[in-house]
Amino acid sequence: AQSVTQPDIHITVSEGASLELRCNYSYGATPYLFWYVQSPGQGLQLLLKYFSGDTLVQGIKGFEAEFKRSQSSFNLRKPSVHWSDAAEYFCAVARGSSASKIIFGSGTRLSIRP
Amino acid sequence: DTAVSQTPKYLVTQMGNDKSIKCEQNLGHDTMYWYKQDSKKFLKIMFSYNNKELIINETVPNRFSPKSPDKAHLNLHINSLELGDSAVYFCATEGTGEAYEQYFGPGTRLTVT
């Protein structure tokens, strides 16, 4: 069965510093991979997705993620964080055959130090 | 103009009661979902509808009954509420050709006392 692990429950970085949020997945074939962001009191918003092709994916709000098959990872990065990036970040994986079967990780809460 | 809206935003009720949560979307999307997010932020799909037809029904107690009166609406009715039903419930939509790009509503925080 597919699964996704986000090993970091909470991360704090200084404003302007770089960010990397970790995500590892378990799936037999090439998965569809996603990062969503949830701001306080809001629903989730899709940041970026990987289906195939270039393993470095650009998303909204200056985020990018890199798919590394050898490490079963899909880490999210941003070169310089802003205070408005404070939120909960969810990595997710899906099978290609069923649009409904998105499995979410447990989330990483990002705090920004002024 | 909100794309996916949910009412109510907060719902506090007692055990044993029956309650409904409503979801409306103006995106014209064919597929709609209900998700449950527990206190540890774990998000799990409950139901999926496509063009008013139930597509996915995960392992959810039959006290939960979704209803889609039309493509723009997906409601969730919960009978005999239990303490463990306390969570945030999210509605989401997905358009044809936008595989997995789901648009979430703001959520309904349900508290059962």
Side-chain angles (χ1 to χ4, degrees), chain B residues 70-81:
Chain B
D70 55 58
K71 266 181 57 172
H73 296 86
L74 179 62
N75 304 325
L76 183 65
H77 188 75
I78 315 170
N79 289 327
S80 303
L81 278 155

Side-chain angles (χ1 to χ4, degrees), chain A residues 32 34 36 38 41-46 49 51 88 90 94-102 104-106, chain B residues 9 31 33 35 37 40-43 45 48 55-56 58 90 94 98-107:
Chain A
Y32 288 9
F34 316 86
Y36 279 82
Q38 183 181 21
Q42 305 286 322
L44 280 70
Q45 180 185 22
L46 181 67
K49 60 187 177 185
F51 288 175
E88 192 88 22
F90 293 90
R95 292 197 299 258
S97 59
S98 170
S100 301
K101 290 290 188 180
I102 293 183
F104 287 87
S106 55
Chain B
K9 191 168 175 65
T31 305
Y33 306 84
Y35 285 90
Q37 186 176 48
K40 295 184 178 179
K41 298 282 188 177
F42 183 62
L43 195 67
I45 189 169
S48 167
I55 299 298
I56 291 292
E58 293 293 304
F90 287 100
E94 185 179 298
E98 299 179 39
Y100 303 104
E101 185 158 350
Q102 298 188 4
Y103 294 78
F104 282 75

Side-chain angles (χ1 to χ4, degrees), chain B residues 41-87:
Chain B
K41 298 282 188 177
F42 183 62
L43 195 67
K44 187 175 180 183
I45 189 169
M46 301 173 70
F47 301 103
S48 167
Y49 267 76
N50 184 276
N51 272 321
K52 303 194 297 174
E53 183 181 343
L54 182 63
I55 299 298
I56 291 292
N57 184 349
E58 293 293 304
T59 308
V60 176
N62 57 15
R63 297 182 296 104
F64 290 80
S65 53
K67 281 191 172 54
S68 183
D70 55 58
K71 266 181 57 172
H73 296 86
L74 179 62
N75 304 325
L76 183 65
H77 188 75
I78 315 170
N79 289 327
S80 303
L81 278 155
E82 300 177 357
L83 292 177
D85 297 333
S86 295

Side-chain angles (χ1 to χ4, degrees), chain B residues 10-14 81-83 85-87 109-113:
Chain B
Y10 301 96
L11 183 55
V12 182
T13 188
Q14 292 183 327
L81 278 155
E82 300 177 357
L83 292 177
D85 297 333
S86 295
R109 181 175 293 278
L110 172 65
T111 303
V112 183
T113 62

